[in-house]
Amino acid sequence: LLLAARVYRQFNDKWYGIGYAAIGGIGIEDSSELTWQLSAGAGYEFNDKWSMVGGYRHYSVEHGDELVTATIEVSGPFLGAQVKF
């Protein structure tokens, strides 16, 4: 099972905000894997085709069995370019 939500908000003709949240691996019998992530950022549209976006993201994966459980978490800023076709 995966539950996700994405939010996009245009602030003016150039600036916009984005947000994303997801959680997965819940509600599955005999599974001890859980993943989730959160991200938020802002972007700038140079024109109808090109834009830049930057923000912060946290990603977590938990996997294991009766003996060992491991959790991996990664967090940090991101910066990217987008092109629309």
Side-chain angles (χ1 to χ4, degrees), residues 1-4 22-36 62:
L1 178 65
L2 173 69
L3 300 173
I23 186 168
I26 56 176
I28 302 172
E29 286 192 38
D30 300 327
S31 174
S32 62
E33 184 166 321
L34 176 69
T35 64
W36 63 273
E62 181 179 308

Side-chain angles (χ1 to χ4, degrees), residues 39-79:
S39 68
Y44 183 81
E45 294 178 345
F46 296 105
N47 53 41
D48 291 341
K49 192 171 185 177
W50 290 94
S51 64
M52 292 286 293
V53 62
Y56 194 83
R57 179 181 180 196
H58 181 83
Y59 181 73
S60 176
V61 177
E62 181 179 308
H63 183 75
D65 54 26
E66 296 85 29
L67 299 175
V68 178
T69 299
T71 301
I72 299 170
E73 294 186 344
V74 179
S75 298
F78 65 88
L79 181 64

